[in-house]
């Protein structure tokens, strides 16, 4: 019998190949129909989580497909854990025992798949060793895949390649782009846990059925006054901004900067114009969104910087919160408010 002595490098390559086969069989052994069914079931949650946290929907779906064998693995069936997240020292929720790198390891257990997707996003967003991922272009799924492996998300040496193949084979990139487009209409439907006995159809926000709030009439004095300890004037439609700047010893550029505006000649509507930089903290705890109000309007009404308002409420420019939603003015929320449905 001939004995073949393999070098350490060859042994490593052989082990890598075996591990890739082991981990790949779980997903690639599933039928295309099974994988596509998984995507159809969870794509809405993945898109909404990208809007909420910035984790690309393509990456989220690829990880979910891989970690669960497209929803068929024993771990997901007994725990609703779609991302193989282990308990860790900060986990106080339910858990299950499952064999992975070692026998009987502790994995997080969720009442509903939605909770697993949300926890996955928060897990990446809130841990320092994944911080570098959020500096990447969300459309660069290859960089995200390699970044996850480099940060230690998985022990599989071919983890990045598995994710990349799934993104490309099943055109998962379209869901990342959908979240970035600002045209996602059903984002507020998926923030419903089946564990609470609510269905997505029951949660659908129709513009005619949105809870109405008492209309608040804003009345402002003439001359310079203060909102949230910030000097401001109320100008009428047709007022020349150069005159406003000159009357208040400001450069025109500073006037536009203080009001988050692009340069224009005259006011197109009656509006507030701040003479100082707006604050990062509102005078009130929150603002109730009224019909017709944009995020810019709310930032002006509350004398808070637009970028801060967006940051506190996990929103992006162009988004429109639903009527009656509370926007926080003093601290960052854990979940994005519902968005106004579009037609």
């Amino acid at each position: 019998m001939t004995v073949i002595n393999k070098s350490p490098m060859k042994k490593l390559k052989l082990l890598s190949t075996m591990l890739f086969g082991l981990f790949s069989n779980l997903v690639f052994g599933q039928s295309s129909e099974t994988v596509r069914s998984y995507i159809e079931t969870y794509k809405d949650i993945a898109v909404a989580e990208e809007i909420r946290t910035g984790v690309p929907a393509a990456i989220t779906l690829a990880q979910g497909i891989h970690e669960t064998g497209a929803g068929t693995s024993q771990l997901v069936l007994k725990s609703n854990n779609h991302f193989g997240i282990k308990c860790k020292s900060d986990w106080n929720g339910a858990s299950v025992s499952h064999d992975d790198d070692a026998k009987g390891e502790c994995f997080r257990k969720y009442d509903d798949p939605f909770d697993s997707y949300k926890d996955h996003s928060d897990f990446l967003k809130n841990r320092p060793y994944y911080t570098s991922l959020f500096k990447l272009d969300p459309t660069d799924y290859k960089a995200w895949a390699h970044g996850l492996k480099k940060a230690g998300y998985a022990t599989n040496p071919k983890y990045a390649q598995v994710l990349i193949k799934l993104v490309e084979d099943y055109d998962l990139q379209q869901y990342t782009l959908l979240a970035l487009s600002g045209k996602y209409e059903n984002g507020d439907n998926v923030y419903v846990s089946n564990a609470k006995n609510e269905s997505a159809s029951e949660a659908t926000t129709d513009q005619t059925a949105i809870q109405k709030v008492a209309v608040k009439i804003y009345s402002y004095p003439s001359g310079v006054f203060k909102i949230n300890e910030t000097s401001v004037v109320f100008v009428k439609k047709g007022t020349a901004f150069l005159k406003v700047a000159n009357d208040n010893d400001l450069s025109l550029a500073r006037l536009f900067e203080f009001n988050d505006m692009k340069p224009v000649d005259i006011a197109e509507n009656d509006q507030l114009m701040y003479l100082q930089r707006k604050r990062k903290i509102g005078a009130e705890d929150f603002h109730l969104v009224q019909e017709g109000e944009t995020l810019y309007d709310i930032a002006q009404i509350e004398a808070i910087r637009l970028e801060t308002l967006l940051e506190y409420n996990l929103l992006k420019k162009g988004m429109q919160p639903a009527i009656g939603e509370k926007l926080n003015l003093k601290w960052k929320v854990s979940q994005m408010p519902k968005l106004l449905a579009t037609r």
Side-chain angles (χ1 to χ4, degrees), residues 191-209:
Y191 285 101
V192 178
S193 170
N194 290 332
K196 297 179 178 64
N197 297 317
E198 295 175 27
S199 67
S201 60
E202 290 170 340
T204 301
T205 303
D206 188 285
Q207 192 162 354
T208 61

Side-chain angles (χ1 to χ4, degrees), residues 47-54 114 118 122 179 184 186-191 295 310-316 319-322 325-327 332-340:
V47 170
E49 283 301 288
E50 178 179 342
I51 294 171
R52 186 177 74 88
T53 66
F114 161 81
K118 184 176 184 296
D122 292 340
Y184 184 60
N186 299 315
D188 52 353
N189 295 348
V190 299
Y191 285 101
L295 288 169
L310 296 173
E311 180 184 350
Y312 281 172
N313 295 280
L314 307 176
L315 295 165
K316 296 179 181 178
M319 290 182 175
Q320 181 59 51
E325 283 294 283
K326 286 184 179 180
L327 297 190
K332 194 170 185 177
V333 298
S334 59
Q335 182 169 306
M336 184 180 72
K338 290 182 179 180
L339 302 181
L340 190 66

Side-chain angles (χ1 to χ4, degrees), residues 191-326:
Y191 285 101
V192 178
S193 170
N194 290 332
K196 297 179 178 64
N197 297 317
E198 295 175 27
S199 67
S201 60
E202 290 170 340
T204 301
T205 303
D206 188 285
Q207 192 162 354
T208 61
I210 294 173
Q211 177 187 4
K212 298 294 182 182
V213 296
V215 176
K216 185 176 180 181
I217 304 300
Y218 299 102
S219 179
Y220 303 111
S222 60
V224 178
F225 59 101
K226 287 193 174 184
I227 301 176
N228 194 18
E229 298 302 313
T230 309
S231 296
V232 60
V233 292
F234 183 71
V235 302
K236 293 288 187 178
K237 179 180 178 180
T239 300
F241 287 125
L242 181 59
K243 183 179 187 306
V244 176
N246 289 338
D247 287 350
N248 294 280
D249 296 320
L250 274 179
S251 70
L252 195 54
R254 294 289 274 177
L255 182 68
F256 291 136
E257 179 186 347
F258 292 162
N259 290 276
D260 302 305
M261 290 177 60
K262 292 181 179 179
V264 291
D265 292 330
I266 61 174
E268 296 179 355
N269 302 287
D270 295 351
Q271 65 186 89
L272 293 165
M273 292 298 293
Y274 287 90
L275 310 176
Q276 296 175 287
R277 192 178 302 280
K278 291 178 289 182
R279 297 184 176 272
K280 290 185 176 182
I281 297 177
E284 306 294 335
D285 288 343
F286 59 85
H287 178 97
L288 281 178
V289 180
Q290 298 188 50
E291 187 170 8
E293 284 184 344
T294 66
L295 288 169
Y296 178 81
D297 295 333
I298 295 166
Q300 292 295 96
I301 290 166
E302 300 292 351
I304 187 172
R305 298 178 195 177
L306 179 58
E307 62 183 10
T308 303
L309 181 67
L310 296 173
E311 180 184 350
Y312 281 172
N313 295 280
L314 307 176
L315 295 165
K316 296 179 181 178
K317 287 183 178 180
M319 290 182 175
Q320 181 59 51
I323 299 167
E325 283 294 283
K326 286 184 179 180

